Each structure stands twice: as structure tokens, then as C-alpha cells.
Amino acid sequence: MLADEQAALRRVATLVARGVRPEEVFAAVTEEAGRVLAVEYASLGRYEPDGAFTLVAWSGSGELVPRVPSRWSLGGNNVSTIVAKTGRPARIHSYADASGALGVAAREDGAGSAVGTPVIVEGRLWGVMAAYSVLGQRLPVDTEARLASFTELLASAIANAESRAELARLAEEQAALRRVATLVARGTPPEELFAAVTEEACRLLSVEYLALGRYEPEAAFTLAAWSGEFVPPAGGRWILGGKNIATLVFRTGRPARVANYVDASGPIGVAVRAWGSRSGVGTPVIVEGRLWGVMIARSRPEQSLPADTEARLASFTELVATAIANAESRAALAASRARIVAAADEARRRIERDLHDGIQQRLVSLGLEVRGAQAVVPPQSGEFEGVLSRVADGLASMFYELREISRGIHPAILSEGGLKPALNALCRRSALPVELDLHAEGRLPERVEVAAYYVVSEALTNAAKHADASALKVVVGTGRAALRLTIRDDGIGGADPGQGSGLLGLSDRIEALGGTLQITSPAGKGTTLLVEIPLEGQSSAVSPEP
């Protein structure tokens, strides 16, 4: 008997050392124990977190046989329930008075007596191995000790398998978090990021449904993204209230768990109960100290969510919070830059208007008065007439210089006529020949027109001063809700925005409008500016003042 037992234990130990799948070890241990102990049947069961008991292997007369159902409720007088309560070996001499679902089933199978030995894995009660005799027989007194030899090997196999599974899970989780973190670092649009986060978390946690929702000011809940085996009803916007994960997190600002949705309430709770979810866990999304939303995982009807689900969800919600904070900071920065650009443009318009309506008009008036005085000077006062002539010429020269300064501050023709006449006038005054290909008809949003005008103006100035170019081509067009500019010169190239060429300021202006400026300037091959400015979301063109 000892030789048979040692041989059986060696066979099991070999399987454990090889790291075979737990299911194979469970079956082998149960079969070997049933054969060595020569019992009517042997079983191996696992205690579940929700209080249930699952048979993972079953052997009758030394041969593996299926057992249906595999999931049972604990309770009553039977070795599986006694071991679950005490954590120690248990023996029932006669199953005639056994009770509970497991006790009744064993009695109906003809069990006479039974012994159960706990399976302790790293200090916790994992399950129980039980041996049953035929009716009218009692199991030997050493059955507990002999079973313990098998359960010790079994515990080692389970611990090893769980360690490998934990390492694999950790590696998979870290890979998923890396993928999400990469999207966050790239500044991926929030909607795209939300979808990626929910998909990654749903796949990693193996849940039926995972949702990311945003809390609205009027105590509403809006689905920002979801992933899972069913599609929520269209609309995606819910009223908070009752007993459900979204409402609990909203009220407390802390993680929440609903063990069973049978008594869930409120519009969200009723809907989730109708979908058939069993349990749910929610983790808040905290953005810079405020409650922004919640990530919710829901299990399949036959499952309960593991105890570490909240912590694992929190790893994703922290990345979501970072992405939201980054996006909000970028949006606030863009809005601030746009306000600064708009204020500067308004100041330019005001100065141009003041010059035109004030100083320029005064110079014109003074010039006319001097010319009038010239007309009445007696012919014999030649020297005095010469003085008046020089004064009149000086006033005229000052007027033209001031007009050029006014154009540089803000061209009146841009405000009055729009981009087309302003660019035509700009190209006519250029020191270099310019081919203008203009396909933008009608008025565009004012900030877009101003930005486009100054891009072309700066490009013409740079080409004349620094590029040693002989000609330029400017192409202006609209499409896909954006204005596009292409400006090319045939100069020496090598333009560097960081060297004070004025292009850096233009780039800031364009980016403040949500646009882009690309500069291509290889040495010896000229410079090309590609500009795209979105038309949507910009303020409308302002009608010129009378």
C-alpha cells in the first residue's frame, strides 16, 4: 500500500514540477487519490468568493467521471461545508443524516462515510478534497493523513499556477497600460482615448461591459465610451438617482460596488438589471481634485467581480484623468492665445483707425491749407513761396509714410474689402514679382483673413530681405472647412524660424486659431510655407465701420 501511495504521489509531483495546466493536475490528483485509497469516489472542490462551491474534479471507483451540476451552494451537514467553516479536516461517520445540497447528493450517490481535507494555498483556504466510502462502511482512521499528502502537492501546484497566472496577468496589464499611456503622451483626442481605454480595460478584466461616463452639472450621467458584449440604448445620457454604481460614486466620490443588481434602482439601475448584469464596480475619475466621471465594470450573470477589480480599474482611471487634464490645459491655452491674438488685432485696428481718421486727415488738411497759401503769395515773394512749397511737400511725404505705417499696423483695405483685394494690393507693392493664385471667394472669418494676410506679408518681406529670391508664388484656396496657403520662393533656402525671421510669431498666431504652419527650406532649393487654418469655430468677419 505504501509503495502504491508513493508511486501515485511521485506521478502527481512530476505533473506539478512540469507546470501542467491546473485542470490536468486536479483530475490526476483526484483519480490517483480515489484509486490509492480504494474509496467509492473522491472529489476536489474550490470555494468561491461569493460563498458557492465548485467541483473541479470527480472520481468514481478510481476513474474520472463527469459530475453535473459542478456548482453548489454550501450549507447543512456535509464535509465540504464543515471544512469551509473550520478550515480543518472533517469526518462524517454516516451520511444517513447528511443535509444541505451537497449532503443530499452524496447520500443519493450511496455514500456511507466521508472525510474532507482542506487545501491551503499560501495560508488561505482554497478548497477541499473529500473521499467517500460505500454505504455501510467506514473510512480508515488514517484517511485524513493520506489525503493530506495529496492536498499538499495540490496546494503547491495551485500556488505555482497562480504565480504564473499572476505574472502573465501583470505583464498583460502593464502592456495595456503602456498602450493607453502612449496615447495620452501623444495628445490623442479625448473621444479616441476614451474608446481605447474602455476597450483595453474590458479585455483585460474579462467583464461583460465596461463604461466610461462623465457627470454633467444637472446631476446627469453621459456615456463617453463603452465596450462589451452588448450595446447600451442610444442617447447615452441618464438621470442619476437610486441605487446604482454611477449614482453611488457621484454621491461619495469614492469607489463603489454592487454585489447583486437584483435590488438596483433608479433609471440606470433598472436598465442594468434588465441587461442581466450580476455585479458591478465603479472607480471615480478625479481630474485636478474634482469629480469628472466614473469607470464602471459589470460582470456576466453567472460571475462576480474579483476583489481587486477596483484597484485594477484605478490604474486606467488615473491615465484617463491625466489625459483629460492635459486636454483641458491645451484647450485653455489655445483659448488664451486666441484671446491675446484677437486683442492684438483689435488694438491694431483701433490704431489704424485713429491714424486714418485723426493724424492722416489732419495732415491732408494742413497740406491743403499750405497749398492755398502758396496760391496767394505775391510773385515777388519767391523765397517765401519756396518755403511754403517745401512745407507742402514735406506734409505730403509725411502723409504717405504714415499711410505705409498704418498699412503695416492693420491695412484698412483688409477690413473694408476682405482678403482678396488686400492680397492683391500687398502683391502689387512687393519688391519681388509675385504670382498670386487666389481661389477664396467672399468674406472669411475675420481672424482667418488677418492671419492669412500677415503670413503672406511676412513671407514676401523675408523673401526680399533674406532669401535672395527672384520670384514668389502664392496659392490661396478653401476646402474641407479650412483655408490653405502655399507660398514658395526660388531663393537660397535655409530658413530657420528660431533665428528671428518673424515666422515664429506667425506660427503662434496660426496655432492660436487651431491651424498649422509647415516650413520646408532645404539649402539652395528655396522656401515653402504650407498653412492650414480651420474655418469652423472662428469668429465671423466684422463689417467695416461707416
Side-chain angles (χ1 to χ4, degrees):
M1 182 184 72
L2 181 61
D4 287 344
E5 185 171 327
Q6 292 300 313
L9 291 172
R10 275 197 305 272
R11 287 191 292 271
V12 173
T14 300
L15 294 177
V16 174
R18 288 177 182 171
V20 301
R21 293 186 307 112
E23 293 76 12
E24 294 182 35
V25 176
F26 297 161
V29 168
T30 308
E31 186 176 1
E32 293 283 6
R35 183 179 297 112
V36 167
L37 298 175
V39 293
E40 179 66 9
Y41 57 87
S43 69
L44 174 63
R46 181 179 65 239
Y47 297 122
E48 304 291 355
D50 61 355
F53 178 74
T54 301
L55 280 174
V56 296
W58 177 271
S59 172
S61 300
E63 295 181 359
L64 287 176
V65 293
R67 178 76 189 188
V68 179
S70 63
R71 185 178 171 90
W72 301 78
S73 296
L74 292 171
N77 182 33
N78 53 78
V79 291
S80 297
T81 300
I82 295 171
V83 171
K85 291 178 178 178
T86 65
R88 297 191 298 271
R91 176 184 285 258
I92 293 180
H93 292 297
S94 173
Y95 253 73
D97 57 349
S99 61
L102 288 164
V104 171
R107 190 171 67 238
E108 291 176 350
D109 287 339
S113 63
V115 164
T117 305
V119 180
I120 308 295
V121 178
E122 296 183 344
R124 78 179 191 277
L125 180 62
W126 181 91
V128 60
M129 176 169 278
Y132 300 84
S133 70
V134 297
L135 188 63
Q137 293 184 356
R138 289 191 176 187
L139 292 170
V141 294
D142 62 350
T143 304
E144 290 92 335
R146 297 176 69 188
L147 265 184
S149 300
F150 289 95
T151 57
E152 288 172 4
L153 284 173
L154 186 62
S156 297
I158 294 168
N160 292 344
E162 288 181 348
S163 296
R164 290 192 299 271
E166 179 63 23
L167 287 174
R169 191 190 77 167
L170 181 61
E172 186 180 357
E173 185 168 326
Q174 291 301 312
L177 291 172
R178 271 197 309 272
R179 289 191 291 270
V180 173
T182 301
L183 295 177
V184 174
R186 289 176 180 171
T188 302
E191 294 75 15
E192 183 179 339
L193 177 71
F194 295 161
V197 169
T198 52
E199 183 177 354
E200 291 281 4
C202 187
R203 181 167 52 244
L204 184 70
L205 300 177
S206 299
V207 294
E208 180 185 38
Y209 171 76
L210 196 140
L212 174 63
R214 182 178 65 247
Y215 292 124
E216 306 291 351
E218 60 273 22
F221 176 74
T222 300
L223 278 178
W226 58 268
S227 182
E229 296 183 358
F230 69 90
V231 180
R237 194 169 188 275
W238 303 82
I239 301 300
L240 294 170
K243 183 183 178 181
N244 53 77
I245 295 293
T247 301
L248 291 173
V249 173
F250 179 75
R251 289 172 177 169
T252 65
R254 297 191 300 270
R257 176 182 285 256
V258 171
N260 196 317
Y261 267 92
V262 171
D263 58 346
S265 60
I268 299 176
V270 171
V272 173
R273 193 169 65 236
W275 296 336
S277 296
R278 175 183 175 86
S279 62
V281 163
T283 305
V285 179
I286 307 295
V287 179
E288 296 184 344
R290 77 180 192 277
L291 180 62
W292 180 91
V294 62
M295 183 174 281
I296 301 173
R298 297 192 180 101
S299 69
R300 296 176 176 85
E302 70 280 3
Q303 291 181 332
S304 292
L305 291 171
D308 63 349
T309 304
E310 290 91 334
R312 299 180 72 188
L313 268 183
S315 300
F316 288 95
T317 57
E318 288 171 4
L319 287 172
V320 170
T322 300
I324 294 168
N326 291 346
E328 290 180 347
S329 296
R330 288 193 298 270
L333 177 61
S336 175
R337 292 171 69 183
R339 287 193 298 270
I340 292 171
V341 170
D345 288 342
E346 177 57 33
R348 285 172 176 269
R349 279 192 299 272
R350 186 172 61 253
I351 294 171
E352 184 276 330
R353 194 163 52 242
D354 291 344
L355 289 175
H356 180 272
D357 296 342
I359 298 176
Q360 285 182 269
Q361 295 301 320
R362 182 59 176 157
L363 289 174
V364 170
S365 178
L366 289 173
L368 291 174
E369 290 182 14
V370 172
R371 293 300 183 189
Q374 271 187 289
V376 298
V377 171
Q380 63 272 23
S381 304
E383 183 177 349
F384 184 56
E385 194 277 337
V387 171
L388 290 177
S389 179
R390 287 193 298 274
V391 172
D393 291 342
L395 289 172
S397 177
M398 186 180 297
F399 171 79
Y400 289 118
E401 288 178 8
L402 189 60
R403 187 170 64 179
E404 289 303 311
I405 293 173
S406 177
R407 284 174 178 169
I409 294 174
H410 187 88
I413 191 173
L414 182 62
S415 298
E416 296 168 359
L419 188 60
K420 184 174 182 179
L423 290 184
N424 281 322
L426 186 62
C427 292
R428 283 196 302 270
R429 296 197 309 270
S430 172
L432 297 174
V434 180
E435 179 186 349
L436 178 61
D437 188 0
L438 188 59
H439 300 287
E441 298 295 335
R443 295 303 300 267
L444 301 174
E446 185 179 21
R447 288 191 291 178
V448 175
E449 290 185 337
V450 172
Y453 177 87
Y454 283 115
V455 168
V456 176
S457 177
E458 184 68 25
L460 297 184
T461 301
N462 285 345
K465 289 184 177 180
H466 310 295
D468 195 21
S470 61
L472 297 97
K473 182 174 182 178
V474 178
V475 180
V476 184
T478 56
R480 293 186 303 173
L483 174 73
R484 292 193 299 276
L485 294 173
T486 303
I487 307 169
R488 296 188 180 93
D489 68 49
D490 58 358
I492 59 175
D496 184 358
Q499 297 300 316
S501 64
L503 293 176
L504 186 59
L506 291 179
S507 179
D508 289 341
R509 172 187 283 274
I510 292 165
E511 289 177 3
L513 302 180
T516 57
L517 169 63
Q518 298 179 21
I519 302 171
T520 304
S521 189
K525 296 185 179 180
T527 299
T528 300
L529 273 61
L530 298 176
V531 178
E532 186 165 308
I533 306 173
L535 299 177
E536 295 180 357
Q538 309 294 346
S539 59
S540 302
V542 177
S543 300
E545 294 184 3

